Amino acid sequence: MADDTDTNPPAAEVQEVVSKKQKHRKPKPWDLPTIDKWKIDEFKPDDNPSGMIEESSFATLFPSYREKYLKEVWPHVKKVLSEFHVKAELDLVEGSMTVRTTRKTWDPYIIIKARDMIKLLARSVPYQQAAKVLQDGMYSDIIKIGGMVRNKERYVKRRQRLVGPNGSTLKAIELLTGCYVLVQGSTVSVMGDVKGLKAVRRIVEDCMHNVHPIYNIKELMIKRELSKDPTLATENWDRFLPHFKKRNVKRKKAKIQKKEYTPFPPTQPKRKEDEEMESGKYFLSEQEKKVQVEDARRTAAEQAAEEKRKIKEAQFVPPKEAKVKKEKKSTVEDVSVDELKDKLIKESKKRSASANATAFDTNDYVVSSKKSKKNPILQ
């Protein structure tokens, strides 16, 4: 009889080869691949029922032109922060805003959010926008641009370049990054998610370093279109992004004219005492100097008053009127009927005389058989 024994061991007895690093690791049945490990759960009052043990507070100053607006919206600020058991104080004497926690405050991070809120209010952000920073996933950033450019004219031009004509550039940045951006004074206030804040900070810093925002806006537009394609999610996007070359524009330098070398030093300027000696003022007494200054002041005041009087009188001088040509009136009424009659008779006689001079008889040029009348031309 042949043995029907199977030489291969059963499948249950086969053991997987485990590396030394994972030798002592145990399976975790709760760790499923469908769980989003990066998700941050909402913090609720049940998560911290005992409240805060220590008190935390933050204060910030605000400019004087924001005092009126803050007085109007401060009741709304206190109402919003009271939901998280955070106290808010407005000191108009020192010009400061303060937020502090209480024993009932259950969210430990809300004091940082409240600090960001009062900072945004101090930088002219409206209350409706500043209150959104208290939400989860909403962050803020205040970018200081005052010290990035030394020349004031360049600074103003580049800051205006960031805003754009009628705020069009700023609106494009807000749409592409999903952030709220406000340019006020020497700061740029930004609200949004972390990714958007980084993009806005890069645009602002590049703009103040003389890189036009349109280049970064174009790059963001291309990235947004590429993100819609799932096949390009794992690929490098450098080949799609534009690469702009820096152009060094040559500017005409002003020619510096070299002065001729002279071994002699320049003449020293005259002292005030020397000028007074030349004019004779140095030898006058204090009383005479005061009289002289008063006379000069009086003459200057009289000249200024005379000029003002002339300007006032010039307003009452009537302008020169343009000469109007008088129309010639018809003199038909002055002419008598007898004179007109004689004039017409003379003109008719002249016409008849001229007509007789040009008239001729055709019979004078015809040869007739009768010799009774001799043609004067044929004779």
Side-chain angles (χ1 to χ4, degrees), residues 225-237 239-240:
E225 293 298 324
L226 292 172
S227 63
K228 295 177 182 178
D229 191 354
T231 58
L232 299 171
T234 57
E235 294 185 15
N236 192 5
W237 291 351
R239 65 179 188 273
F240 301 108

Side-chain angles (χ1 to χ4, degrees), residues 96-119:
S96 64
M97 294 179 284
T98 309
V99 288
R100 57 170 50 92
T101 59
T102 60
R103 294 294 299 271
K104 294 182 180 180
T105 306
W106 46 269
D107 189 354
Y109 193 69
I110 195 63
I111 188 64
I112 305 297
K113 295 272 190 179
R115 179 201 64 183
D116 294 342
M117 181 180 175
I118 60 175
K119 277 187 177 181

Side-chain angles (χ1 to χ4, degrees), residues 60-319:
T60 184
L61 301 174
F62 61 87
S64 58
Y65 61 83
R66 292 289 291 171
E67 182 178 336
K68 184 180 178 182
Y69 179 77
L70 290 174
K71 284 172 68 177
E72 293 175 359
V73 300
W74 198 250
H76 302 287
V77 175
K78 292 175 73 176
K79 185 179 179 181
V80 171
L81 294 175
S82 64
E83 297 176 2
F84 303 94
H85 301 286
V86 176
K87 284 186 177 181
E89 296 177 2
L90 178 66
D91 191 349
L92 298 176
V93 178
E94 294 182 357
S96 64
M97 294 179 284
T98 309
V99 288
R100 57 170 50 92
T101 59
T102 60
R103 294 294 299 271
K104 294 182 180 180
T105 306
W106 46 269
D107 189 354
Y109 193 69
I110 195 63
I111 188 64
I112 305 297
K113 295 272 190 179
R115 179 201 64 183
D116 294 342
M117 181 180 175
I118 60 175
K119 277 187 177 181
L120 292 170
L121 287 171
R123 295 313 309 154
S124 299
V125 177
Y127 161 74
Q128 291 79 6
Q129 293 291 340
K132 293 179 183 178
V133 81
L134 299 175
Q135 302 172 5
D136 290 338
M138 183 70 71
Y139 304 95
S140 67
D141 188 10
I142 296 175
I143 307 164
K144 296 179 181 180
I145 60 175
M148 291 185 180
V149 184
R150 289 185 178 181
N151 193 347
K152 190 175 181 180
E153 292 180 1
R154 287 182 184 175
Y155 167 73
V156 172
K157 283 182 180 179
R158 291 177 187 178
R159 187 180 62 177
Q160 184 60 32
R161 192 185 296 166
L162 185 64
V163 177
N166 299 324
S168 58
T169 307
L170 205 63
K171 189 68 177 176
I173 294 169
E174 289 180 349
L175 292 172
L176 291 169
T177 59
C179 298
Y180 173 80
V181 186
L182 177 70
V183 180
Q184 173 67 23
S186 61
T187 58
V188 180
S189 304
V190 192
M191 289 175 56
D193 57 349
V194 177
K195 189 177 179 181
L197 294 180
K198 286 183 179 180
V200 174
R201 177 173 275 276
R202 181 190 169 195
I203 293 169
V204 172
E205 288 179 352
D206 286 351
C207 181
M208 300 310 292
H209 293 143
N210 202 20
V211 178
H212 203 281
I214 195 67
Y215 299 119
N216 290 312
I217 288 170
K218 192 173 183 180
E219 187 176 332
L220 287 173
M221 290 174 69
I222 294 168
K223 284 182 178 179
R224 188 174 67 171
E225 293 298 324
L226 292 172
S227 63
K228 295 177 182 178
D229 191 354
T231 58
L232 299 171
T234 57
E235 294 185 15
N236 192 5
W237 291 351
D238 286 344
R239 65 179 188 273
F240 301 108
L241 299 177
H243 300 283
F244 301 103
K245 294 181 180 180
K246 292 184 179 180
R247 295 180 180 178
N248 293 327
V249 181
K250 292 183 179 180
R251 298 179 181 177
K252 293 182 179 179
K253 294 182 179 179
K255 294 182 179 179
I256 301 171
Q257 294 181 355
K258 292 183 178 180
K259 296 181 179 179
E260 294 182 0
Y261 172 74
T262 54
F264 305 104
T267 55
Q268 292 184 355
K270 293 182 180 180
R271 299 180 303 165
K272 189 177 179 181
E273 290 81 357
D274 296 337
E275 293 177 354
E276 289 181 353
M277 285 180 182
E278 290 180 356
S279 61
K281 190 177 179 181
Y282 183 80
F283 304 102
L284 297 175
S285 62
E286 292 293 330
Q287 189 67 22
E288 290 174 343
K289 286 180 181 179
K290 287 182 181 179
V291 172
Q292 196 173 8
V293 170
E294 194 66 30
D295 291 342
R297 190 182 301 166
R298 192 183 298 108
T299 52
E302 289 175 359
Q303 289 178 0
E306 185 67 21
E307 290 178 0
K308 286 184 180 179
R309 187 182 62 79
K310 287 180 180 179
I311 293 168
K312 287 183 179 180
E313 288 180 354
Q315 296 176 357
F316 299 100
V317 175

